[in-house]
């Protein structure tokens, strides 16, 4: 079997993706037209061109314009349903999706209302055979004085069954990770594990801050940790997983060419890693393609890719019986694909 065919048939887990970042230009255009919301472009063709990024500021600009377009329950349902279809197309069985309630509050729809409709569609998908999707509620770094208390209060007040962690998103440059230290401490006290974006557009020091000050269980990206060998050793020693997004990195980080990407260095240092897409349509990718590129351009053998995939269940934050059940399912499928010793 060709490598790409094996990748396509593998049941997959993904831990670093933004639900709002799964909206394709076609869907965004349709939603904006239906809601009479103006976008910073005049046509669908121009919008598609905007989805090619060179820097984080442009990315954030379109991202926020997109959040403003979501105006009705149907818009949120469409976002989730389209994502679920895409998971099924790629045999993605488990996802932890970042979601930013504060932005939906800020733009007038309402965070709780957004969470309610998103949850209903996620639960319907799970009842209908999957995928299993869980949520990480992000504090966006560019608005911490408002979004920090808002997000943590929401977590303290809600007993939301799908939320598995608090996260830190938004830009890195100029926003030290410890900005959210107080809010993350409250979230941990309320029983929520912490994950944080760090070491993507800023350097290794951010990753260290996320580990030492925020007590992050996982790092989103974390690739710049490779600049500091002692930090790689710390990540390995504490078994902190980095959720790496190769194609996203080629758009927004210093690693414009995968031949120079530090993923092999991270693996050699014993850092647990998963592969993810971040915001797939924004970077013209999907999860199958991330695995294909890791094989063809980074040079990872299929056996390594399979272990990175299983890390998505090992380091996922959903309830243990659920992840153990999926692990069993993955191992059976892996055996059929020749990725596991039979009977393992
Ligand atoms: Zn991300």
């Amino acid at each position: 079997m060709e490598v790409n065919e094996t990748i396509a048939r593998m049941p997959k887990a993904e831990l670093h993706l933004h639900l709002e970042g799964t909206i394709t230009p076609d869907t965004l255009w349709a939603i904006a037209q239906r809601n009479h919301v103006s976008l910073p472009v005049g046509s669908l063709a121009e919008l598609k061109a905007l989805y090619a990024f060179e820097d984080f500021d442009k990315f954030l600009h379109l991202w926020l314009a997109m959040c403003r377009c979501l105006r009705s329950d149907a818009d949120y349902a469409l976002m989730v349903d389209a994502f679920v279809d895409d998971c099924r197309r790629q045999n993605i069985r488990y996802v932890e999706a970042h979601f930013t309630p504060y932005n939906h509050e800020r733009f007038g729809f309402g965070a709780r209302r957004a969470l309610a409709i998103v949850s209903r569609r996620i639960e319907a998908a799970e009842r209908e055979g999957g995928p299993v999707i869980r949520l990480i509620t992000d504090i966006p770094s560019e608005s911490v004085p408002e979004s920090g208390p808002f997000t943590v209060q929401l977590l303290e007040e809600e007993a939301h069954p799908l939320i598995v962690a608090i996260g830190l998103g938004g830009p890195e440059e100029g926003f030290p990770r410890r900005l959210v230290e107080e809010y993350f401490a409250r979230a941990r006290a309320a029983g929520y594990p912490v994950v944080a974006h760090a070491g993507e557009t800023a350097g290794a020091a951010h990753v260290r801050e996320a580990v030492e000050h925020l007590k992050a269980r996982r790092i989103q990206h974390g690739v710049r940790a490779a600049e500091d060998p002692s930090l790689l050793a710390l990540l390995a020693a504490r078994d902190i997983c980095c959720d790496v997004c190769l194609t996203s990195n080629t758009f927004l980080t210093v690693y414009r060419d995968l031949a120079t990407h530090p993923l092999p260095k991270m693996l050699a240092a014993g850092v647990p890693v998963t592969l993810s897409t971040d915001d797939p349509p924004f970077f013209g990718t999907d999860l199958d393609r991330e695995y294909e590129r890791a094989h063809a351009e980074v040079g990872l053998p299929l056996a390594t890719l399979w272990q990175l995939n299983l890390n998505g269940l090992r380091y996922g934050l959903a309830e243990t019986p659920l992840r153990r059940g999926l692990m069993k399912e993955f191992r059976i499928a892996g055996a059929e694909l020749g990725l596991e010793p039979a009977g393992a």
Side-chain angles (χ1 to χ4, degrees), residues 129-337:
V132 173
I133 301 171
R134 294 295 179 263
L135 298 172
I136 298 169
T137 48
D138 270 5
I139 294 176
S141 60
E142 74 275 13
S143 59
V144 168
E146 302 80 29
S147 60
F150 177 86
T151 308
V152 78
Q153 192 179 341
L154 186 140
L155 292 181
E156 286 167 341
E157 288 174 3
E158 300 281 322
H160 197 289
L162 299 185
I163 298 174
V164 295
I166 191 166
L168 172 61
E172 268 194 83
E173 284 294 0
F175 297 96
R177 305 293 86 182
R178 66 173 74 183
L179 270 181
V180 296
E181 189 166 358
E182 165 195 352
Y183 307 113
F184 274 34
R186 275 173 59 187
R188 289 199 312 276
Y192 292 92
V194 162
V195 306
H197 281 69
E200 179 197 16
T201 53
H206 267 202
V207 179
R208 192 178 289 280
E209 265 186 36
V211 171
E212 293 181 348
H213 292 271
L214 306 183
K215 318 285 183 215
R217 293 265 292 271
R218 293 204 317 264
I219 301 291
Q220 306 309 77
H221 296 296
V223 290
R224 302 280 296 276
E227 295 162 9
D228 178 351
S230 71
L231 180 58
L232 286 179
L234 179 73
L235 292 170
R238 297 203 187 170
D239 202 25
I240 295 172
C241 182
C242 293
D243 300 317
V244 172
C245 307
L246 294 172
T247 302
S248 168
N249 286 170
T250 65
F251 282 88
L252 300 179
T253 73
V254 293
Y255 309 114
R256 301 282 162 143
D257 175 355
L258 290 186
T260 62
H261 196 280
L263 177 56
K265 202 170 167 183
M266 297 168 81
L267 293 173
V271 177
V273 167
T274 70
L275 292 180
S276 289
T277 55
D278 216 2
D279 309 279
F282 288 77
F283 306 124
T285 194
D286 62 19
L287 192 57
D288 284 348
R289 183 160 181 268
E290 294 304 297
Y291 277 89
E292 289 165 18
R293 295 195 75 186
H295 178 70
E297 295 173 57
V298 184
L300 301 186
L302 202 45
T304 303
L305 296 182
W306 179 242
Q307 291 307 315
L308 300 193
N309 185 40
L310 295 182
N311 280 348
L313 298 175
R314 294 183 184 118
Y315 294 91
L317 296 167
E319 57 274 26
T320 302
L322 187 146
R323 287 184 296 108
R324 301 289 306 169
L326 284 167
M327 183 64 90
K328 206 168 176 182
E329 182 194 308
F330 275 40
R331 289 208 185 272
I332 291 168
E336 284 168 8
L337 292 167

